């Protein structure tokens, strides 16, 4: 996938069944090799199988419920992945943005501009505005959300991103030391004296 400009991790999905089979063959071969040299370990077969299962769980559970944040720790984990591939393709953590907005006064009256509008809409009591480079509607939103996958794929004009980064950060969230999402006050909100509700307008 390094030859692709997009480099989506889902492009390797057809390889996963083959890799699973190879992993199983490797585990069975290792067990048979151990049996051939230390026959007495056969009694520990169930314990060894359980150890493999516990090892898998130990790797996966720290990422619950955002399992797509797991990347091979031997290759640098999430911090290594973000330098090579787009991450956040499963929109991990956008529920955190929705939850934060839900704590604000009258969240049902708020508007949020985001490129993830279709996915966050069921989680958010207010209205969403698709954040595109084709029009300036996003400028009228109370809040603007930037997500890591959009940044990595260049979905937003650099001028827009630089403009928002000069504004105070309202809320952000990270996974394993990697920032995933940023929430800023909408540019138009400043003209309403800090009151982002419709009544304040």
């Amino acid at each position: 996938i390094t030859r692709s400009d997009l480099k989506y991790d889902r492009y390797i999905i057809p390889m996963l069944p083959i890799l699973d089979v190879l992993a199983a063959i490797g585990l069975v071969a290792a067990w048979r090799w151990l049996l051939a040299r230390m026959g007495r370990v056969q009694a520990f077969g169930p314990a060894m199988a359980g150890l493999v299962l516990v090892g898998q769980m130990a790797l996966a559970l720290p990422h619950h419920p955002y399992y797509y944040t797991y990347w091979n720790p031997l290759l640098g984990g999430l911090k290594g992945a973000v330098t090579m591939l787009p991450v956040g393709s499963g929109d991990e953590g956008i529920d955190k943005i929705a939850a934060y907005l839900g704590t604000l006064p009258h969240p049902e009256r708020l508007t949020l501009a985001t490129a993830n509008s279709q996915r966050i809409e069921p989680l958010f009591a207010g209205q969403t505005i698709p954040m595109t480079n084709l029009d300036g509607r996003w400028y009228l939103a109370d809040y603007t959300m930037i997500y890591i996958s959009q940044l990595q794929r260049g979905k937003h004009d650099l001028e827009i991103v630089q403009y928002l980064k000069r504004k105070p950060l309202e809320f952000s969230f990270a996974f394993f030391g990697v920032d995933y999402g940023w929430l800023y006050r909408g540019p138009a909100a400043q003209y309403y004296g800090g009151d982002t509700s419709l009544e304040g307008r």
Side-chain angles (χ1 to χ4, degrees):
I1 66 176
T2 56
R3 293 186 178 275
S4 168
D5 290 334
L6 297 178
K7 297 181 176 61
Y8 289 133
D9 55 332
R10 61 177 176 265
Y11 292 168
I12 67 170
I13 288 177
M15 297 170 53
L16 296 183
I18 299 173
L19 294 175
D20 287 340
V21 170
L22 289 176
I25 291 173
L27 288 172
V28 171
W31 178 246
R32 288 178 176 173
W33 178 87
L34 192 61
L35 282 178
R37 285 156 181 77
M38 301 175 61
R40 61 182 181 275
V41 302
Q42 186 170 3
F44 299 97
M48 297 294 285
L51 185 62
V52 172
L53 180 61
V54 169
Q56 290 291 319
M57 292 177 62
L59 291 172
L61 287 180
H63 297 267
H64 175 79
Y66 309 107
Y67 294 109
Y68 282 146
T69 61
Y70 173 85
W71 296 84
N72 192 330
L74 298 178
L75 299 176
L78 180 57
K79 287 186 177 180
V82 75
T83 64
M84 296 181 286
L85 295 166
V87 301
S89 58
D91 294 324
E92 299 80 33
I94 62 171
D95 57 308
K96 295 179 180 290
I97 296 285
Y100 173 79
L101 291 171
T103 65
L104 301 178
H106 305 295
E108 72 280 359
R109 300 174 180 173
L110 299 177
T111 56
L112 172 69
T114 172
N116 303 71
S117 59
Q118 289 185 338
R119 297 194 180 186
I120 201 172
E121 201 168 39
L123 309 174
F124 175 48
Q127 302 296 317
T128 60
I129 298 176
M131 188 171 177
T132 68
N133 302 330
L134 302 178
D135 57 43
R137 290 180 60 212
W138 71 272
Y139 196 87
L140 302 176
D142 298 305
Y143 290 91
T144 300
M145 171 187 160
I146 301 294
Y147 192 67
I148 188 170
S149 62
Q150 275 79 45
L151 279 185
Q152 286 187 296
R153 291 183 287 161
K155 291 293 184 179
H156 301 307
D157 283 338
L158 184 59
E159 292 80 3
I160 293 176
V161 176
Q162 290 175 341
Y163 171 82
L164 291 173
K165 286 185 175 181
R166 292 196 297 268
K167 302 298 178 181
L169 182 63
E170 180 83 13
F171 178 80
S172 66
F173 64 92
F175 294 115
F176 302 95
V178 176
D179 290 328
Y180 257 61
W182 303 264
L183 183 70
Y184 298 92
R185 277 287 188 94
Q190 61 184 309
Y191 299 112
Y192 304 107
D195 185 350
T196 58
S197 69
L198 293 180
E199 286 183 352
R201 299 180 185 182

